[in-house]
Amino acid sequence: MTRHFNFCAGPAAMPAPVLERARQEMLDYQGRGLSVMEMSHRSRDYMAIAEQAEHDLRDLLSIPNNYRVLFTQGGATQQFAALPYNLLGQGGTANFVHTGIWGSKAVKEARHLFGEAGVAASSEPNGHTAVPRPEEIRLSPDAAYLHYTANETIGGLEFDYLLGNTRGGMARPDGVEVPVVCDMSSSILSGPLDVSRFGILYAGAQKNIGPAGLVVVIVRDDLLELARADMPSLFSYRALAEAASMINTPATYSWYLAGLVFQWLRQDVGGLDAMQAINARKASKLYAAIDASDFYSNPIAGINRSRMNVPFMLADARLDEAFLAESEQAGLLNLKGHRSVGGMRASLYNAVPEAAVDALVDFMADFERRNG
Amino acid sequence: MTRHFNFCAGPAAMPAPVLERARQEMLDYQGRGLSVMEMSHRSRDYMAIAEQAEHDLRDLLSIPNNYRVLFTQGGATQQFAALPYNLLGQGGTANFVHTGIWGSKAVKEARHLFGEAGVAASSEPNGHTAVPRPEEIRLSPDAAYLHYTANETIGGLEFDYLLGNTRGGMARPDGVEVPVVCDMSSSILSGPLDVSRFGILYAGAQKNIGPAGLVVVIVRDDLLELARADMPSLFSYRALAEAASMINTPATYSWYLAGLVFQWLRQDVGGLDAMQAINARKASKLYAAIDASDFYSNPIAGINRSRMNVPFMLADARLDEAFLAESEQAGLLNLKGHRSVGGMRASLYNAVPEAAVDALVDFMADFERRNG
């Protein structure tokens, strides 16, 4: 068996100890004589797995008691539809901070379903190389909520601050406070977080949580009452909360794997403070290597450089192909940049070990030596 | 490692060779140095896995070229919403044949979203012990399509005939033909099927396909043009078809496991004719044991007895608890009936081996001997 270093932006690397445990339990979960994926979601054993996962996630993020944790499906993209359905029941429009491709997809879906959506701020003028500053964000007079993307996976742009106030809200021009909603798909669990600064935060699992398909939504319970009546039943946060995320059969095996990731974070890594320190070292090393050379570059303002997704360009794009072929040969997988950006991208999610970054930095120096 | 016999109604037993292969490939897929769940869905390796799965499913069911195969999420329950959105774009109402709990859920969601839905036939008068006969099914004058549930997982009631004509349609009173749509969640792949008798058929994976979360939709391509504009983007069959089911990140690992199940059906079982013969033997043995004794009973009309889900009652319900405790002790898992029905239920999906039925029948006889 070989394990290479995997810099994929998502579906992304899983912690090896999690895969090892899943492997061991694949045909027989703890002597029960069946796989977790063969269990009824209503069985005692599975309910214990599901509840433990929520418990561990609550512990990791210190989630306050007035927030519900939902495990649902369809990726963050499905939440782009579910969110306006759940929050526009009393009218108003969704407002967005537009910082790149994922933010724009969220705007587009709200407009598709409900005609209009406000753009409260955009980093388009600077080519999405720096996020708007707090004073630049202006909600529309009829804003029902503000949505932003904490980390743009494709652009490699990350907010250096939380947009919500201590009540998880932001004030409209008329002083009315509306909830702040955040897509944290590619940065959740990368470090400690003050959940009370959000009305809702959510994340597709396939970066820092587990396998693709699962989505985690963390929602303050007073926001369960703002839904439109006309939405698909499975989209309803209230219905999901009331059914403990089991309106119908959930993605049981993915939920179990997410639980193993949460256990790994608690027990092997030692919690989110420790995880944050490791992630900071990983990102610093890679950005330092990029900045130390004219051969490589990254366009993002220092303060907004993503710790999770590091796009970088070779000064001579004709070398891209050789870089990719040779890095793959060296066991450094999935370094190709997103087709909309080009160049390279190294995603440094939690499960990517520091040794992977060391190996990448060494390879980059060697490649530059041979081609620079 | 122990493997017990698992009669769970879903999430259900998986073929042991599939789990074994998944176990072997968990940390390193065929020397690539990563798990399938760590692969980009757009990578060459993953695309090959995804395409092979579709290819094998097409081969197993002889799916005609003018049908598209979609791999999506949210279970059959999400399809209860997606279907009317996709088929009511030119007006009209959804029509349903109501044969039990799953059929009624589909009606309820269509009514929730679009106000009305027609019930073209119902087995409620006979307590859902026999399906309506073809001549009893009457579409409403404005029917846009007819939906039925091929096999009611909870009631243990299965259609003995296909509702669609050779064009996958059914005529309204005015002679206009509308497409027939079928929920085959709990019977797909249990035997050969003439797909052309359906406009659309779909199935949640967690019975005969793979892990919970994945849904397979097989849709005739002319039906991709009938959608309403106002639906969540991810619900659109046309958008899914155009994106080869990758509008956003699909449930990659579940899709891979489904592919392993399709390979198992083709190579280990020898195709759906062979599977059908095994399933027929399994069901016959269990129903014969039930019928041979006054100690056990099943209320369903012979012709509509489900081959996949066999509910049965003990004449003395006070023995239920002992039956369940002792059967579990004997390694016969998940025999408890659905809470709405009571008694016992043995689900005999493809992955439940004939030996499991033999062991169950032996246990039942022994239990009767000791308690009868």
Side-chain angles (χ1 to χ4, degrees):
Chain A
M1 195 191 71
T2 318
R3 291 278 296 165
H4 292 319
F5 291 130
N6 180 13
F7 299 94
C8 193
M14 294 277 291
V18 165
L19 294 176
E20 181 53 44
R21 170 112 178 252
R23 194 185 71 79
Q24 286 165 13
E25 296 180 343
M26 178 59 86
L27 281 97
D28 179 11
Y29 175 76
Q30 303 192 356
R32 300 302 200 284
L34 77 178
S35 177
V36 171
M37 79 178 80
E38 302 176 298
M39 290 181 181
S40 167
H41 53 297
R42 312 232 180 248
S43 65
R44 204 179 317 122
D45 283 331
Y46 187 77
M47 291 295 290
I49 289 169
E51 284 163 13
Q52 185 67 46
E54 178 176 339
H55 171 83
D56 288 336
L57 181 62
R58 284 187 170 279
D59 183 86
L60 282 164
L61 288 171
S62 305
I63 300 174
N65 284 334
N66 62 328
Y67 284 74
R68 307 297 292 262
V69 177
L70 313 177
F71 291 84
T72 180
Q73 298 179 49
T77 302
Q78 188 155 305
Q79 293 309 308
F80 297 163
L83 278 160
Y85 277 118
N86 274 282
L87 292 174
L88 295 181
Q90 303 181 353
T93 61
N95 272 214
F96 294 85
V97 180
H98 171 35
T99 48
I101 290 179
W102 288 101
S104 78
K105 284 178 191 259
V107 180
K108 198 177 155 199
E109 184 73 359
R111 288 205 174 126
H112 163 64
L113 289 169
F114 300 107
E116 47 182 349
V119 174
S122 171
S123 52
E124 218 162 7
N126 63 44
H128 301 307
T129 56
V131 306
R133 302 317 307 165
E135 63 277 10
E136 297 176 290
I137 301 171
R138 292 198 184 84
L139 297 181
S140 67
D142 67 343
Y145 66 93
L146 176 76
H147 178 282
Y148 77 106
T149 311
N151 179 74
E152 284 283 354
T153 318
I154 293 173
L157 183 72
E158 185 171 8
F159 272 89
D160 55 297
Y161 65 95
L162 301 178
L163 274 65
N165 61 25
T166 54
R167 292 173 301 281
M170 182 179 282
R172 293 195 310 213
D174 63 1
V176 171
E177 250 179 50
V178 299
V180 170
V181 175
C182 184
D183 176 356
M184 296 209 73
S185 293
S186 49
S187 56
I188 194 168
L189 295 172
S190 60
L193 190 71
D194 182 355
V195 170
S196 69
R197 303 283 294 273
F198 305 86
I200 298 175
L201 64 95
Y202 66 99
Q206 69 271 23
K207 285 95 161 55
N208 268 339
I209 293 177
L214 189 72
V215 185
V216 172
V217 181
I218 302 171
V219 50
R220 208 175 61 216
D221 54 16
D222 60 294
L223 302 179
L224 300 176
E225 308 306 322
L226 302 176
R228 295 172 59 99
D230 61 349
M231 74 178 142
S233 303
L234 281 183
F235 282 15
S236 165
Y237 295 155
R238 188 163 85 166
L240 283 164
E242 285 171 354
S245 301
M246 295 190 187
I247 297 174
N248 68 337
T249 313
T252 51
Y253 194 67
S254 302
W255 189 336
Y256 151 77
L257 288 170
L260 295 185
V261 171
F262 303 152
Q263 282 180 39
W264 170 78
L265 279 169
R266 290 188 66 180
Q267 292 162 16
D268 297 19
V269 176
L272 295 188
D273 286 313
M275 191 72 255
Q276 180 169 252
I278 295 168
N279 285 332
R281 279 205 307 274
K282 283 152 53 183
S284 300
K285 282 181 178 178
L286 182 50
Y287 283 115
I290 292 167
D291 291 342
S293 147
D294 292 333
F295 194 81
Y296 303 106
S297 66
N298 167 285
I300 307 298
I303 195 173
N304 293 133
R305 281 177 160 181
S306 168
R307 298 156 303 139
M308 293 288 106
N309 310 99
V310 183
F312 60 94
M313 304 287 157
L314 275 58
D316 182 353
R318 288 170 303 183
L319 292 170
D320 283 4
E321 226 168 280
F323 186 96
L324 284 168
E326 292 176 29
S327 57
E328 186 171 334
Q329 205 59 38
L332 306 169
L333 306 184
N334 293 313
L335 285 166
K336 189 173 184 173
H338 190 270
R339 58 192 180 281
S340 66
V341 175
M344 308 297 147
R345 175 175 49 169
S347 292
L348 310 183
Y349 299 121
N350 289 349
V352 176
E354 197 166 347
V357 178
D358 294 337
L360 173 58
V361 166
D362 287 348
F363 172 82
M364 288 166 68
D366 183 57
F367 187 84
E368 180 178 355
R369 208 153 30 233
R370 288 184 285 109
N371 297 278
Chain B
M1 196 192 71
T2 319
R3 291 278 297 166
H4 292 321
F5 291 131
N6 180 14
F7 299 95
C8 193
M14 294 278 289
V18 166
L19 294 176
E20 180 53 43
R21 170 113 178 251
R23 194 184 72 79
Q24 286 164 15
E25 296 179 343
M26 178 60 86
L27 281 97
D28 178 13
Y29 175 76
Q30 302 191 358
R32 300 303 199 283
L34 76 179
S35 177
V36 171
M37 78 178 80
E38 301 176 298
M39 289 180 184
S40 166
H41 53 297
R42 311 233 181 247
S43 65
R44 205 177 317 121
D45 282 333
Y46 188 76
M47 291 295 290
I49 290 169
E51 283 163 15
Q52 185 67 44
E54 178 176 338
H55 171 84
D56 287 336
L57 181 62
R58 284 188 171 275
D59 183 85
L60 281 164
L61 287 172
S62 305
I63 299 175
N65 284 334
N66 61 328
Y67 285 74
R68 307 297 292 260
V69 177
L70 314 177
F71 291 83
T72 179
Q73 299 179 47
T77 302
Q78 187 153 305
Q79 294 307 310
F80 297 164
L83 278 161
Y85 276 118
N86 274 282
L87 293 174
L88 294 182
Q90 303 181 353
T93 62
N95 272 215
F96 295 86
V97 180
H98 171 34
T99 49
I101 289 177
W102 288 102
S104 77
K105 284 178 191 259
V107 180
K108 199 177 154 200
E109 184 72 1
R111 288 204 172 124
H112 162 63
L113 289 170
F114 301 106
E116 46 180 353
V119 175
S122 170
S123 52
E124 218 162 8
N126 64 45
H128 301 306
T129 57
V131 305
R133 301 318 306 165
E135 63 278 11
E136 296 176 290
I137 301 172
R138 290 199 187 81
L139 297 181
S140 66
D142 66 344
Y145 67 92
L146 177 75
H147 177 283
Y148 77 105
T149 311
N151 179 75
E152 285 282 355
T153 319
I154 293 172
L157 182 72
E158 184 171 7
F159 272 88
D160 56 296
Y161 64 96
L162 301 179
L163 273 64
N165 60 25
T166 53
R167 292 173 301 282
M170 182 179 281
R172 294 196 308 214
D174 63 3
V176 171
E177 252 180 46
V178 299
V180 170
V181 175
C182 184
D183 177 356
M184 296 209 75
S185 294
S186 49
S187 56
I188 193 167
L189 295 172
S190 62
L193 190 70
D194 182 354
V195 170
S196 69
R197 303 285 292 274
F198 304 87
I200 298 174
L201 64 94
Y202 67 100
Q206 70 271 24
K207 286 95 160 60
N208 268 341
I209 293 177
L214 190 71
V215 185
V216 172
V217 181
I218 302 170
V219 51
R220 209 177 58 220
D221 53 17
D222 61 293
L223 302 179
L224 301 176
E225 309 307 321
L226 302 175
R228 295 172 58 98
D230 62 349
M231 71 177 144
S233 303
L234 280 184
F235 282 16
S236 166
Y237 294 155
R238 190 165 83 167
L240 282 164
E242 285 171 354
S245 301
M246 296 190 185
I247 298 174
N248 67 338
T249 314
T252 50
Y253 194 68
S254 302
W255 191 335
Y256 151 77
L257 288 169
L260 295 185
V261 170
F262 302 153
Q263 281 180 37
W264 170 78
L265 279 168
R266 290 188 67 181
Q267 292 161 18
D268 297 21
V269 177
L272 295 188
D273 285 313
M275 191 73 255
Q276 180 168 253
I278 296 167
N279 285 332
R281 279 205 307 274
K282 283 152 55 183
S284 299
K285 281 181 178 178
L286 181 51
Y287 284 116
I290 292 166
D291 291 343
S293 145
D294 292 333
F295 193 82
Y296 302 106
S297 66
N298 165 286
I300 306 298
I303 195 173
N304 292 133
R305 280 176 159 181
S306 168
R307 297 156 304 141
M308 293 288 107
N309 311 99
V310 183
F312 60 93
M313 305 285 157
L314 275 60
D316 183 352
R318 289 169 303 184
L319 292 170
D320 282 3
E321 227 168 282
F323 185 95
L324 285 168
E326 292 176 29
S327 57
E328 187 171 334
Q329 203 60 37
L332 306 168
L333 306 184
N334 292 313
L335 285 166
K336 188 170 185 176
H338 190 269
R339 57 193 183 279
S340 65
V341 174
M344 308 298 146
R345 173 174 50 168
S347 292
L348 310 181
Y349 299 120
N350 289 349
V352 175
E354 196 166 349
V357 178
D358 294 337
L360 172 58
V361 166
D362 286 348
F363 172 83
M364 287 167 69
D366 181 58
F367 187 84
E368 180 178 356
R369 211 154 29 235
R370 290 182 285 106
N371 298 278

PDB file of all heavy atoms in Angstrom, chain A residues 84-97:
ATOM      1  N   PRO A  84     -32.271  30.757   1.057  1.00  0.00           N
ATOM      2  CA  PRO A  84     -33.347  31.741   0.855  1.00  0.00           C
ATOM      3  C   PRO A  84     -34.731  31.182   1.173  1.00  0.00           C
ATOM      4  O   PRO A  84     -35.578  31.900   1.716  1.00  0.00           O
ATOM      5  CB  PRO A  84     -33.202  32.141  -0.623  1.00  0.00           C
ATOM      6  CG  PRO A  84     -32.271  31.164  -1.242  1.00  0.00           C
ATOM      7  CD  PRO A  84     -31.442  30.599  -0.150  1.00  0.00           C
ATOM      8  N   TYR A  85     -34.986  29.922   0.858  1.00  0.00           N
ATOM      9  CA  TYR A  85     -36.279  29.340   1.246  1.00  0.00           C
ATOM     10  C   TYR A  85     -36.471  29.419   2.761  1.00  0.00           C
ATOM     11  O   TYR A  85     -37.558  29.698   3.249  1.00  0.00           O
ATOM     12  CB  TYR A  85     -36.359  27.866   0.838  1.00  0.00           C
ATOM     13  CG  TYR A  85     -36.768  27.588  -0.583  1.00  0.00           C
ATOM     14  CD1 TYR A  85     -35.900  26.929  -1.458  1.00  0.00           C
ATOM     15  CD2 TYR A  85     -38.034  27.923  -1.055  1.00  0.00           C
ATOM     16  CE1 TYR A  85     -36.276  26.632  -2.772  1.00  0.00           C
ATOM     17  CE2 TYR A  85     -38.422  27.629  -2.360  1.00  0.00           C
ATOM     18  CZ  TYR A  85     -37.537  26.982  -3.204  1.00  0.00           C
ATOM     19  OH  TYR A  85     -37.920  26.691  -4.488  1.00  0.00           O
ATOM     20  N   ASN A  86     -35.421  29.157   3.504  1.00  0.00           N
ATOM     21  CA  ASN A  86     -35.537  29.112   4.960  1.00  0.00           C
ATOM     22  C   ASN A  86     -35.558  30.479   5.620  1.00  0.00           C
ATOM     23  O   ASN A  86     -35.989  30.597   6.767  1.00  0.00           O
ATOM     24  CB  ASN A  86     -34.390  28.284   5.554  1.00  0.00           C
ATOM     25  CG  ASN A  86     -34.713  26.793   5.596  1.00  0.00           C
ATOM     26  OD1 ASN A  86     -35.449  26.350   6.473  1.00  0.00           O
ATOM     27  ND2 ASN A  86     -34.193  26.036   4.643  1.00  0.00           N
ATOM     28  N   LEU A  87     -35.094  31.510   4.896  1.00  0.00           N
ATOM     29  CA  LEU A  87     -34.922  32.807   5.559  1.00  0.00           C
ATOM     30  C   LEU A  87     -35.760  33.937   4.973  1.00  0.00           C
ATOM     31  O   LEU A  87     -35.769  35.028   5.516  1.00  0.00           O
ATOM     32  CB  LEU A  87     -33.435  33.208   5.539  1.00  0.00           C
ATOM     33  CG  LEU A  87     -32.521  32.325   6.402  1.00  0.00           C
ATOM     34  CD1 LEU A  87     -31.060  32.711   6.211  1.00  0.00           C
ATOM     35  CD2 LEU A  87     -32.903  32.426   7.879  1.00  0.00           C
ATOM     36  N   LEU A  88     -36.444  33.681   3.863  1.00  0.00           N
ATOM     37  CA  LEU A  88     -37.190  34.770   3.226  1.00  0.00           C
ATOM     38  C   LEU A  88     -38.700  34.663   3.440  1.00  0.00           C
ATOM     39  O   LEU A  88     -39.487  35.251   2.697  1.00  0.00           O
ATOM     40  CB  LEU A  88     -36.876  34.839   1.722  1.00  0.00           C
ATOM     41  CG  LEU A  88     -35.430  35.200   1.345  1.00  0.00           C
ATOM     42  CD1 LEU A  88     -35.261  35.254  -0.171  1.00  0.00           C
ATOM     43  CD2 LEU A  88     -35.015  36.529   1.965  1.00  0.00           C
ATOM     44  N   GLY A  89     -39.104  33.940   4.471  1.00  0.00           N
ATOM     45  CA  GLY A  89     -40.533  33.737   4.719  1.00  0.00           C
ATOM     46  C   GLY A  89     -41.267  35.012   5.092  1.00  0.00           C
ATOM     47  O   GLY A  89     -42.489  35.100   4.956  1.00  0.00           O
ATOM     48  N   GLN A  90     -40.536  36.011   5.554  1.00  0.00           N
ATOM     49  CA  GLN A  90     -41.193  37.270   5.910  1.00  0.00           C
ATOM     50  C   GLN A  90     -40.864  38.355   4.907  1.00  0.00           C
ATOM     51  O   GLN A  90     -40.935  39.545   5.222  1.00  0.00           O
ATOM     52  CB  GLN A  90     -40.775  37.667   7.326  1.00  0.00           C
ATOM     53  CG  GLN A  90     -41.120  36.563   8.331  1.00  0.00           C
ATOM     54  CD  GLN A  90     -40.737  36.911   9.768  1.00  0.00           C
ATOM     55  OE1 GLN A  90     -40.103  37.919  10.016  1.00  0.00           O
ATOM     56  NE2 GLN A  90     -41.139  36.058  10.695  1.00  0.00           N
ATOM     57  N   GLY A  91     -40.493  37.937   3.705  1.00  0.00           N
ATOM     58  CA  GLY A  91     -40.170  38.901   2.660  1.00  0.00           C
ATOM     59  C   GLY A  91     -38.718  39.352   2.739  1.00  0.00           C
ATOM     60  O   GLY A  91     -37.900  38.751   3.430  1.00  0.00           O
ATOM     61  N   GLY A  92     -38.420  40.439   2.026  1.00  0.00           N
ATOM     62  CA  GLY A  92     -37.048  40.945   2.006  1.00  0.00           C
ATOM     63  C   GLY A  92     -36.215  40.224   0.969  1.00  0.00           C
ATOM     64  O   GLY A  92     -36.691  39.312   0.285  1.00  0.00           O
ATOM     65  N   THR A  93     -34.968  40.634   0.864  1.00  0.00           N
ATOM     66  CA  THR A  93     -34.081  39.990  -0.114  1.00  0.00           C
ATOM     67  C   THR A  93     -32.827  39.476   0.579  1.00  0.00           C
ATOM     68  O   THR A  93     -32.431  39.950   1.638  1.00  0.00           O
ATOM     69  CB  THR A  93     -33.641  40.972  -1.226  1.00  0.00           C
ATOM     70  OG1 THR A  93     -32.926  42.055  -0.617  1.00  0.00           O
ATOM     71  CG2 THR A  93     -34.822  41.525  -1.996  1.00  0.00           C
ATOM     72  N   ALA A  94     -32.239  38.507  -0.068  1.00  0.00           N
ATOM     73  CA  ALA A  94     -30.945  37.999   0.387  1.00  0.00           C
ATOM     74  C   ALA A  94     -29.866  38.980  -0.057  1.00  0.00           C
ATOM     75  O   ALA A  94     -29.914  39.493  -1.169  1.00  0.00           O
ATOM     76  CB  ALA A  94     -30.698  36.626  -0.221  1.00  0.00           C
ATOM     77  N   ASN A  95     -28.921  39.236   0.823  1.00  0.00           N
ATOM     78  CA  ASN A  95     -27.769  40.085   0.471  1.00  0.00           C
ATOM     79  C   ASN A  95     -26.499  39.234   0.502  1.00  0.00           C
ATOM     80  O   ASN A  95     -26.406  38.270   1.275  1.00  0.00           O
ATOM     81  CB  ASN A  95     -27.624  41.239   1.470  1.00  0.00           C
ATOM     82  CG  ASN A  95     -28.439  42.470   1.081  1.00  0.00           C
ATOM     83  OD1 ASN A  95     -28.039  43.592   1.321  1.00  0.00           O
ATOM     84  ND2 ASN A  95     -29.609  42.250   0.479  1.00  0.00           N
ATOM     85  N   PHE A  96     -25.562  39.613  -0.343  1.00  0.00           N
ATOM     86  CA  PHE A  96     -24.346  38.799  -0.487  1.00  0.00           C
ATOM     87  C   PHE A  96     -23.097  39.663  -0.502  1.00  0.00           C
ATOM     88  O   PHE A  96     -23.119  40.782  -1.028  1.00  0.00           O
ATOM     89  CB  PHE A  96     -24.391  38.010  -1.805  1.00  0.00           C
ATOM     90  CG  PHE A  96     -25.486  36.982  -1.836  1.00  0.00           C
ATOM     91  CD1 PHE A  96     -26.781  37.342  -2.219  1.00  0.00           C
ATOM     92  CD2 PHE A  96     -25.244  35.686  -1.437  1.00  0.00           C
ATOM     93  CE1 PHE A  96     -27.807  36.404  -2.217  1.00  0.00           C
ATOM     94  CE2 PHE A  96     -26.268  34.748  -1.437  1.00  0.00           C
ATOM     95  CZ  PHE A  96     -27.551  35.103  -1.825  1.00  0.00           C
ATOM     96  N   VAL A  97     -22.031  39.124   0.053  1.00  0.00           N
ATOM     97  CA  VAL A  97     -20.711  39.675  -0.225  1.00  0.00           C
ATOM     98  C   VAL A  97     -20.103  38.760  -1.280  1.00  0.00           C
ATOM     99  O   VAL A  97     -20.019  37.539  -1.092  1.00  0.00           O
ATOM    100  CB  VAL A  97     -19.825  39.717   1.038  1.00  0.00           C
ATOM    101  CG1 VAL A  97     -18.451  40.294   0.689  1.00  0.00           C
ATOM    102  CG2 VAL A  97     -20.486  40.562   2.115  1.00  0.00           C
TER     103      VAL A  97
END
